[in-house]
Amino acid sequence: MGATIVGLDAQLKRWRGQLDEVEALMPLALKRLQRTFKHLPIPEAAPALERHLARWALDLGLQPAEAADVLAAARPGTLACYVAPGAPEHVRGLIGMYTALVVTVDDGVIEQGVPVARFARSAIRLLRRGGKLPADTPAHRGLADLRARVISAGAAGLLDELADQLALQFQAFAREQRWLNHGDLPSLSEYLPNRGCTMAVHSLMLLHRALPGLLRPGTRFSPALDNIARSTCSVVGLQNDICGILSDIKHHNPLNVTTVIARECDVSLPEAFHRALPLLANRWHAALRAADDYCAAPGRTPQEAAQARAIVAYAHGLCAWHITAPRFDFA
């Protein structure tokens, strides 16, 4: 994301000087991630889905030919296969399409031609209500096509929830920009819940519910399930930060759990990186305990238990994606 970093330039310069030490720690970090989360082989269905998504994105203008490498590096089809291994092709397709859409918009591959806040309002309205495109941009066309596919899959009841999650994601982006505009980083207690919202993972979990056997579309998560989902999203955000720290600092993005710890605790970037690893593990084990307690509660239905298990499985699938996607720079 583009960032205004007035007041953080000097700190970023110091952190860039410490990147070699962080890079030396990366093999250890990746081993710890692989011990904490399940090892998953690259799904056999992934290459075919990647080709399908690339054609879809190209046809809609989401992926200009000159920027094809950006979407290819993100591997949205592989991500969909990792997080929904037993889902039918059309469900994995919905997850992959939403991922491709978020990647191309968030990475600036496509230019919307309107301010972000205005685009957010129109995108949320389009998801919720459908109708005429508010603007003929690739992202609006992509959202309209995705909406039609959700309805065709018999999951129209998800659209309001999907719009709500998109609104929360844009609010989290705006919160990040305010922090940067003020030239300072948030506290860790502010950063962690916001980080979970900046990822599109909660929306992917919703689209997964087009799969029979999970909570029916139109049935909103209970507070307990919502807490498990948000905790898992926060864990995935920390995975993203740990795998992305080298790229973040190289590209002048100071928002990362490692930098937040370094600033708050007044420690070096390598020391902060060390501290981020047990933080991730502890939050993951807390999410697992919450899911186990939820499934063991008296009167729990098979659909509710399956939903909780599907939610926490996202952390395993997305860890595998983080480690294998070319998008991430480990050196």
Side-chain angles (χ1 to χ4, degrees), residues 6 25 29 31 43 49 89 102 114 122 125 139 144 151 172 176 189 222 232 251 265 269 278 299 305 310 331:
V6 175
L25 295 171
K31 286 181 181 178
L49 184 53
E89 184 177 343
V102 170
V114 294
S122 62
R125 187 168 59 250
I151 294 171
E176 285 188 335
S189 62
S222 67
T232 303
H251 293 92
C265 300
L269 199 66

Side-chain angles (χ1 to χ4, degrees), residues 1 6 37 62 75 86 88 110 138 145 157 181 189 230 237 252 283:
M1 96 181 180
V6 175
F37 301 95
L62 284 170
R75 301 275 173 88
I110 52 175
D145 184 76
N181 288 344
S189 62
R230 293 189 184 283
H252 312 286
R283 292 182 74 86

Side-chain angles (χ1 to χ4, degrees), residues 40-70:
L40 301 174
I42 295 177
E44 291 183 6
L49 184 53
E50 296 292 5
R51 291 191 294 271
H52 172 67
L53 292 173
R55 288 194 299 270
W56 177 78
L58 188 61
D59 289 346
L60 288 167
L62 284 170
Q63 178 182 262
E66 64 273 15
D69 58 326
V70 176

Side-chain angles (χ1 to χ4, degrees), residues 110-133:
I110 52 175
E111 177 55 55
Q112 301 308 317
V114 294
V116 171
R118 182 178 164 193
F119 170 70
R121 288 193 298 271
S122 62
I124 292 162
R125 187 168 59 250
L126 177 62
L127 267 180
R128 203 182 299 279
R129 301 177 188 172
K132 182 180 178 181
L133 290 181

Side-chain angles (χ1 to χ4, degrees), residues 251-268:
H251 293 92
H252 312 286
N253 175 17
L255 278 174
N256 185 293
V257 69
T258 303
T259 57
V260 170
I261 292 172
R263 188 70 171 263
E264 183 167 303
C265 300
D266 193 24
V267 296
S268 69

Side-chain angles (χ1 to χ4, degrees), residues 178-217:
R178 285 196 298 273
W179 291 332
L180 295 172
N181 288 344
H182 291 151
D184 205 355
L185 297 179
S187 67
L188 191 60
S189 62
E190 293 173 309
Y191 178 78
L192 291 175
N194 198 72
R195 187 66 179 97
C197 290
T198 58
M199 303 283 287
V201 178
H202 205 300
S203 298
L204 304 184
M205 292 173 180
L206 293 177
L207 290 168
H208 198 160
R209 284 168 52 197
L211 174 69
L214 302 182
L215 284 186
R216 291 176 56 194

